[in-house]
Amino acid sequence: MIYVEKNALIIRNMEEKDAAQIAEAERAQGWLGNLEEKYRQRLKDQARGACIALVAECNREAVGYINVYPDSRWGSFGGMGYPEIVDFGVLEKYRCRGFGSALMDAAEAIASTYAAVVYLGVGLHSGYGSAQRMYARRGYIPDGSGVWYKDMICEPYSACWNDDDLVLYLYKELHAPAP
């Protein structure tokens, strides 16, 4: 399904071919790990109806991705019927061109069909700096649950590591609640 088609930009559902293409581009920019597997997991989740996995494509090349889990079971709002935005990224060579904003617009539009609130977790190390700023500009605010580490609330004064598993959950009201 195509969600956005504007000039050379298309935002559509992720397809099998995208997993290898995005993983290869991320390796080329120095990212490590089994990158392709996370996209294959999103495809499996999409196939079973658990998420909507989106890809931004420009001139037939994947430039970014985002996933919406309509009834997420994880994080601070997990199991409450709110959609969660998960694993959002734009390849470094395509940043600052509006692709990230277009992906977020599409994800929020999808999320708004399920609930009036959407949430996400953002990493706290400097690698997430641009995402942190983007979320603040878009109106996301901390949910008040504190810092989470490895999918659990990090209790005050407990040890954690400033890696990708250390996150702060943010939420946003998508439209005015009914009176």
Side-chain angles (χ1 to χ4, degrees), residues 54-98:
L54 303 178
V55 166
E57 179 183 283
C58 184
N59 298 321
R60 296 193 176 106
E61 187 172 343
V63 300
Y65 50 87
I66 198 165
N67 306 277
V68 178
Y69 282 77
D71 187 13
S72 181
R73 299 288 173 208
W74 311 285
S76 61
F77 288 99
M80 300 172 104
Y82 295 123
E84 180 182 13
I85 293 174
V86 177
D87 196 22
F88 163 53
V90 175
L91 297 171
E92 290 172 0
K93 67 183 181 179
Y94 294 106
R95 291 184 182 167
C96 300
R97 297 187 194 181

Side-chain angles (χ1 to χ4, degrees), residues 9-69:
L9 172 67
I10 295 173
I11 297 179
R12 58 172 172 74
N13 285 105
M14 184 179 285
E15 299 170 359
E16 187 68 32
K17 67 181 171 90
D18 299 319
Q21 184 182 6
I22 295 168
E24 181 180 331
E26 287 178 335
R27 279 191 292 278
Q29 63 189 29
W31 293 12
L32 304 174
N34 188 359
L35 302 168
E36 196 168 333
E37 182 52 37
K38 77 175 179 175
Y39 303 112
R40 294 204 186 285
Q41 184 59 53
R42 302 294 180 223
L43 288 165
K44 288 176 190 173
D45 290 348
Q46 181 168 255
R48 66 182 178 86
C51 87
I52 299 95
L54 303 178
V55 166
E57 179 183 283
C58 184
N59 298 321
R60 296 193 176 106
E61 187 172 343
V63 300
Y65 50 87
I66 198 165
N67 306 277
V68 178
Y69 282 77

Side-chain angles (χ1 to χ4, degrees), residues 94-110:
Y94 294 106
R95 291 184 182 167
C96 300
R97 297 187 194 181
F99 299 131
S101 291
L103 278 165
M104 285 295 294
D105 288 346
E108 289 174 358
I110 290 167

Side-chain angles (χ1 to χ4, degrees), residues 107-141:
E108 289 174 358
I110 290 167
S112 73
T113 67
Y114 294 95
V117 172
V118 65
Y119 73 104
L120 53 82
V122 64
L124 296 180
H125 65 68
S126 61
Y128 293 96
S130 61
Q132 294 163 359
R133 289 188 305 276
M134 173 188 243
Y135 299 145
R137 283 192 306 269
R138 294 183 70 88
Y140 285 82
I141 61 172

